[in-house]
Each structure stands twice: as C-alpha cells, then as structure tokens.
Amino acid sequence: MVIIDNKTELSHLVDQYRQKGKIIGFVPTMGALHEGHLSLVKKSKELTDITICSIFVNPTQFNDKADLELYPRMPEKDAYMLEKEGCGVLFLPEVSQIYPEEDKRVFDFGNLERILDGTSRPGHFNGVAQVVSILFGIVKPDKAFFGEKDYQQLLIIKELNNLLQLKVEVIGCPILRESDGLAMSSRNMLLSDEERKAASLIPNLMQEAKRLKQQGKTIPEVKQFVSQQLGSNPIYKLDYYEICNATTLSPLNSLNNSGKSISLIAVFVGKIRLIDNLALD
Ligand code: AMP
C-alpha cells in the first residue's frame, strides 16, 4: 500500500492508474477504523481495480470543538489494518492540504438537511459536503463507498454528486454491527464500560419499535415508547427518534404514508453521541 500525504502527488498517481484503464474506488473516512470501514474497502475491492482510502478528521464538519478534539486518532494502526485488507493507496492529508484557505462555500440540500442531524448539528452537512467535494476533486473516483450507518449523510452525498455533476457512482453499504447489535462506530471506543453496556439498548429499542409499528401502533405511540424507555435511565439523552420517508427523509406521522420508511435515532450515552437507523419495510 502506498501512503501519500500530498494531494498533487495523489492526483498524479490516480492519473497514471486511469491511463492504464483502471477503475478507481474511493473510501473516505475519519480514521479509528473498524470492521464497518473495512467492509467498504472490501466492497470497493470487489467492484474496482484500485482502492484509495482517505483518513482525514475534517474540522469543518464539527460544530462542537470538544468533539473534534476528542475524536480518536490512530493512523499507524489504521494503516496496518488497511494494508492487511489490500487497500492500494492511503491518503493521509494535513488540514492545509485540504483547506489551503478557508472554504466559504455554502450548499443547500433543501429539506434533506433541515431535519435530524441537519438541525441537531448546524453546519455539519455543509462541512461534509465541502470535504467530500474536495476529496472527489483530488481522487476523481469512478465509485465511492459510504456506509448506511450515516444514512442522512449518504443521501446528502448523492445529492451533492447530482448538484455538482461530479459523475461519481455513490454506493451505499450496509451497517456492520457488534455482536450485541450496536452499530460499529469510532465513537464506541470513547464509551466507558458502563456506557458501552448501556449502548446496546439502542439497537434493541429500534427493533422493538419496528415490531410495535408492524403490530399497528401509531407513529406517535412508537415514538413515545422509545422516548419513555430511554427516559427511564439518566445515562441516556435522546436527541431524536424519527420515522421518515427513506428517500426524502420527510417525517411520517401516520401509518398510511406511501413509500419506504426508515427509523433514525441519535442518543447521547453519557457524553458520547451515537446514531443508528433501521429500515421499517
Ligand atoms: P467515519 O470515519 O465515521 O466518517 O466513517 C467513514 C465511512 O464509514 C462512512 O461512509 C460511514 O458511514 C462508514 N461507516 C461507519 N461506521 C459504519 C458501520 N458500522 N457500518 C458500515 N459503514 C460504516
């Protein structure tokens, strides 16, 4: 695996691959890698000739400075895992490589960003759009792989790709989970033992809520159930639990809404904010 920290060098390397007719796959990450990230690398290896992974903790997508500072960083371990997985190139840029000057672009993703993490983390998706558009500009991938774990982000990146006509095939990949059902996340390692145990309620609650909905409970009843369950222990603080149209993310309020639906949750366990989602159809 080649490790590159310079964007011009990476662009030249990519040009060489492309001249040889290679299909380029791209997996952007913020590092502290786990099996969820590696599943994206595996998918890329399956569908492309060269897999490029980036590790960049993007400052513009953190609306909370403490969260940015707390974010785990372990590039050596990450590089080892990627090499073992057969990743071709690791791009590890400094902030000055990505943002030689302040990125003042403001994107508008309409209703997609006016809900859920869009309102809970103001500016977050704008920062995501900035970094992804810059990284796509450097790597110019044929295909890029993103996890359904960050479901709203995946929809926004597809929209960004359309808006800027980037012509990248954006491929969503399923959520990988720990044995107790908790969605894998770099943030899980920040949980204390007690918080980690408590976090397993999240996937169980989502499944239970899905069953209740299938049994005919109304959406307000299902939402109330989730909020009551989490309210019974002060270790949790529910940010949101919503049932939305899976394509537009418009919240559904009755059972006879058309189209596929998805439940999405954000919960603080202690100080750590975890997100998850579950398709309901
Ligand atoms: P992050 O490093 O958290 O920015 O994540 C990088 C990519 O990995 C994003 O596309 C995430 O959606 C994806 N990802 C993170 N956790 C998981 C998971 N548990 N299963 C599948 N993909 C994931």
Side-chain angles (χ1 to χ4, degrees), residues 27-40 54 56 61 71 145-151 153-154 157 173-178 182-187:
V27 180
T29 80
M30 297 205 298
L33 302 181
H34 49 66
E35 286 298 322
H37 296 112
L38 296 183
S39 73
L40 308 185
S54 65
F56 180 65
Q61 72 187 67
Y71 204 85
F145 300 83
F146 292 87
E148 288 170 355
K149 152 96 181 351
D150 300 276
Y151 189 79
Q153 168 176 282
L154 174 62
I157 286 164
C173 304
I175 304 177
L176 256 77
R177 296 179 178 279
E178 303 288 355
L182 181 67
M184 289 183 182
S185 165
S186 308
R187 292 175 193 275

Side-chain angles (χ1 to χ4, degrees), residues 10-24 49-50 52 139-140 142:
L10 178 62
S11 278
H12 286 156
L13 183 64
V14 172
D15 286 347
Q16 286 170 21
Y17 289 138
R18 187 151 289 110
Q19 274 159 20
K20 290 183 192 151
K22 305 283 188 204
I23 307 281
I24 314 285
D49 300 317
I50 305 281
I52 300 176
V139 177
K140 296 193 189 67
D142 298 287

